[in-house]
């Protein structure tokens, strides 16, 4: 039996069993990974087009498995979410990124903001607010240097809870970004009623912005509307100078993408950031 792709076996048991087994063993391994320091945070800088310099970075988790090698985050984050490990993992990620940015800013005399991805399950957990506040307190990080990146799935089933929680964070001066905007059901009109500070437009729109008039039109609209209601607009997945120039002409606030830098380990950040400061 040859297993060379996810779509090869839709009807037979072997691959399904393997899937379930892989999942179960990854779940075990993930618990150990947190203990054994196989997890690492990478950081991808965010470029401010108005200030013409980097103003912050997004923390992105990496798992280097001793046997299986590199496991992409979308795979193990999903497993962590299904097993509730996401609470412990998410807390670890938040703690580590806050501590890192605090120390980085102190030693480099900089004022970078760190953006941390927060899983929907994590946000809706009843202890989440307490966890965030206690991390801010123990690290000493100014809340204005923290941004929580959430996705619209938080609004699907628990609009009221999500709304209250985000409002709480916003009142504490913590930034809230709505990630992957445009990929789900979120409409521009409801943006203005949400307690958020930033919208991150999904990479899929920028991919064909140079040759697809519809994508161009959507990006143009999202940017102008976001600006008009006082939200910061970040476009992610920018890979070419051509895309960058278009976004600049549309008055997009911030850009994230391989054009500037891939996510890099802590040690490489000073060099990357020194290119535009
Ligand atoms: P995301 O939050 O939308 O993160 C952006 C993803 O796009 C990252 O992939 C980043 O490396 C990639 N990216 C950035 N610029 C470019 C570009 O110019 N071209 C291309 N092709 N890709 C680009 P990554 O690190 O593999 O993360 C994938 C997803 O996994 C993230 O999507 C996020 O949903 C999740 N994730 C990653 N780290 C964390 C974490 O610490 N906590 C949680 N809850 N989820 C995380
Ligand atoms: Ca994100
Ligand atoms: Ca995103
Ligand atoms: Ca995404």
């Amino acid at each position: 039996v040859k297993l060379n792709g996810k779509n090869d076996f839709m009807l037979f048991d072997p691959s399904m069993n393997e899937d379930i087994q892989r999942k179960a063993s990854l779940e075990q391994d993930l618990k150990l990974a947190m203990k054994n320091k196989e997890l690492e945070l990478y950081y991808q800088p965010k470029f401010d087009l108005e200030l013409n310099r980097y103003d912050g970075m997004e923390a992105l988790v990496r798992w280097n498995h001793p046997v299986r090698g590199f496991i992409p985050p979308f795979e193990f984050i999903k497993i962590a979410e299904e097993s509730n490990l996401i609470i412990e993992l998410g807390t670890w990620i938040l703690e580590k990124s806050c501590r890192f940015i605090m120390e980085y800013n102190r030693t480099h005399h900089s004022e970078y903001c760190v953006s941390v991805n927060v899983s929907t399950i994590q946000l809706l957990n009843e202890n989440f607010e307490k966890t965030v506040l206690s991390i801010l307190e123990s690290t000493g990080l100014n809340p204005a240097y923290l941004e929580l990146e959430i996705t619209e799935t938080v609004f699907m089933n628990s609009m009221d809870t999500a709304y209250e929680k985000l409002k709480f964070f916003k009142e504490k001066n913590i930034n809230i970004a709505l990630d992957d905007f445009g990929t789900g059901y979120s409409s521009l009109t409801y943006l203005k009623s949400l307690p958020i500070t930033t919208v991150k437009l999904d990479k899929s729109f920028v991919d064909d912005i140079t040759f697809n008039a519809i994508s161009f039109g959507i990006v143009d609209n999202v940017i102008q509307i976001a600006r008009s209601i006082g939200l910061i607009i970040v476009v992610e997945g920018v890979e070419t100078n051509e895309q960058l120039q278009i976004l600049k002409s549309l008055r997009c606030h911030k850009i994230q993408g391989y054009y500037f830098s891939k996510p890099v380990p802590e040690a490489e950040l000073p060099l990357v950031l020194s290119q535009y400061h």
Side-chain angles (χ1 to χ4, degrees), residues 151 179-180 202 236:
T151 56
D179 203 355
D180 300 341
D202 194 68
E236 51 182 11

